């Protein structure tokens, strides 16, 4: 948070005026803003996707080889090592795409807030948000295959969506509401951290260079930081759910063999919600 605050200070050119007028700030440096958010979103995506791939590997191993699981067991260690070695290139590639789009989106949002690009900034922000959401949706399922089978990024995405298409589950995965519930929790936490940042505006001079926009800048930075940290922590839950869905489509026989009671319950409930899908 200190690094973000310090970098953001350098994006505004403020001149001291009279005491009655306060400070006047010119347009921010959009190059610095882009690099700031690119580095932030890239780091966030790499950490989040690394957790996602690790959890997917552990759940996949639990699915097919229960004897290897346990706290700090071989499945956990192997999955973590594979995430940081052979699968790390795939993680960075997908993360960079999302980070680039999100950074451009934030750039357009900043330009719109400063009335520097008119309606063009609004249109660009909308398009970039849609593109980033599509890539994030692709990554959510592709990284399950990366974690479970160790496939490269593009091959993993192709394989998992082919699986859903062959099983006729395109509509089923569209009904997944786990991500929405976790996103709501992350937004609440982001709002709380943003409120704490407003306290810092009164207690410190960290945001003094932002001029009259100090409260908005502080809340925005706090909100983004709180949202990012909470989403990373809660991604373990979403990753586990997504992996179960993929494995239930790909290897239901393994679940029936290793966990017959869980398999029967899942088949029964799944059949009630989605007839003829299992």
């Amino acid at each position: 948070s200190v690094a973000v605050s310090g970098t953001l200070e350098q994006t505004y050119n403020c001149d001291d005026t009279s005491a009655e007028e306060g400070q006047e700030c010119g347009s921010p440096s959009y190059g610095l803003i882009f690099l700031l958010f690119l580095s932030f979103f890239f780091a966030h995506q790499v950490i989040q996707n690394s957790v996602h791939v690790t959890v997917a590997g552990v759940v996949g191993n639990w699915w097919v080889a229960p004897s290897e699981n346990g706290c700090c067991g071989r499945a956990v260690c192997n999955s973590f090592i594979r995430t940081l070695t052979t699968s790390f290139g795939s993680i960075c590639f997908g993360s960079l795409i999302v980070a680039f789009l999100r950074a451009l989106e934030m750039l357009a949002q900043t330009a719109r807030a400063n009335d520097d690009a008119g309606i063009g900034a609004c249109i660009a922000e909308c398009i970039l948000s849609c593109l980033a959401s599509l890539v994030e949706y692709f990554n959510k399922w592709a990284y399950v295959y990366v974690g479970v089978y160790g496939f490269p990024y593009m091959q993993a995405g192709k394989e998992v969506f082919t699986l859903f298409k062959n099983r006729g589950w395109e509509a089923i995965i569209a009904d997944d509401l786990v991500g929405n519930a976790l996103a709501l929790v992350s937004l609440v936490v982001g709002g709380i951290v943003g409120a704490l940042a407003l306290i810092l505006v009164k207690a410190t001079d960290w945001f003094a260079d932002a001029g009259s926009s100090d409260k908005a800048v502080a809340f925005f930075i706090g909100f983004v930081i709180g949202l990012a940290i909470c989403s990373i922590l809660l991604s373990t839950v979403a990753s586990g759910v997504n992996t179960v869905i993929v494995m239930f489509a790909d290897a239901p026989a393994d679940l029936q063999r290793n966990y017959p009671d869980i398999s029967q319950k899942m088949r029964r409930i799944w059949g009630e919600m989605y007839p003829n899908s299992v």
Side-chain angles (χ1 to χ4, degrees), residues 223-240:
F223 177 81
V224 171
I225 292 173
L227 179 68
I229 294 175
C230 186
S231 63
I232 290 173
L233 295 176
L234 293 180
S235 65
T236 56
V237 179
S239 300

Side-chain angles (χ1 to χ4, degrees), residues 54-278:
T54 302
V55 173
V58 173
V59 174
N61 200 280
W62 169 86
W63 193 278
V64 300
S67 60
E68 297 182 5
N69 284 273
C71 182
C72 297
R74 187 168 65 179
V76 178
C77 295
N78 290 345
S79 180
F80 181 71
I81 292 173
R82 186 169 62 247
T83 296
L84 297 182
T85 53
T86 57
S87 298
F88 198 65
S90 296
I91 293 171
C92 291
F93 180 60
S95 299
L96 182 60
I97 297 174
V98 174
F100 183 78
L101 293 173
R102 288 299 183 192
L104 288 177
E105 179 189 353
M106 296 306 300
L107 200 67
Q109 182 177 329
T110 303
R112 179 172 59 84
N114 288 278
D115 295 326
D116 287 340
I119 193 173
C122 184
I123 296 174
E125 181 183 353
C126 181
I127 294 175
L128 290 167
S129 178
C130 291
L131 290 175
S133 296
L134 287 174
V135 178
E136 287 174 343
Y137 182 78
F138 178 86
N139 288 354
K140 178 175 74 171
W141 300 108
Y143 282 132
V144 173
Y145 254 46
V146 172
V148 174
Y149 299 112
F151 287 173
Y153 174 73
M154 296 302 297
Q155 182 183 355
K158 179 180 179 181
E159 293 287 343
V160 73
F161 281 100
T162 299
L163 170 67
F164 288 142
K165 181 179 180 180
N166 292 339
R167 294 297 299 270
W169 283 20
E170 295 98 327
I172 294 177
I173 61 174
D175 289 339
D176 179 21
L177 299 179
V178 174
N180 295 339
L182 298 179
L184 179 61
V185 175
S186 298
L187 288 174
V188 172
V189 173
I192 294 174
V193 178
L196 294 176
L198 293 178
I199 298 177
L200 292 177
V201 174
K202 298 293 185 180
T204 69
D205 59 351
W206 291 1
F207 303 94
D209 288 345
S212 60
S213 303
D214 56 349
K215 293 182 179 179
V217 171
F219 180 83
F220 177 74
I221 293 176
F223 177 81
V224 171
I225 292 173
L227 179 68
I229 294 175
C230 186
S231 63
I232 290 173
L233 295 176
L234 293 180
S235 65
T236 56
V237 179
S239 300
V241 173
N242 294 335
T243 306
V244 167
I245 293 174
V246 171
M247 296 302 294
F248 192 51
D250 194 30
D254 291 323
L255 182 65
Q256 177 65 33
R257 181 179 66 255
N258 296 320
Y259 310 96
D261 294 338
I262 297 177
S263 177
Q264 291 299 325
K265 186 176 181 179
M266 284 191 64
R267 288 176 180 272
R268 176 175 57 81
I269 297 177
W270 201 274
E272 294 174 358
M273 295 298 298
Y274 307 102
N276 303 320
S277 63
V278 293

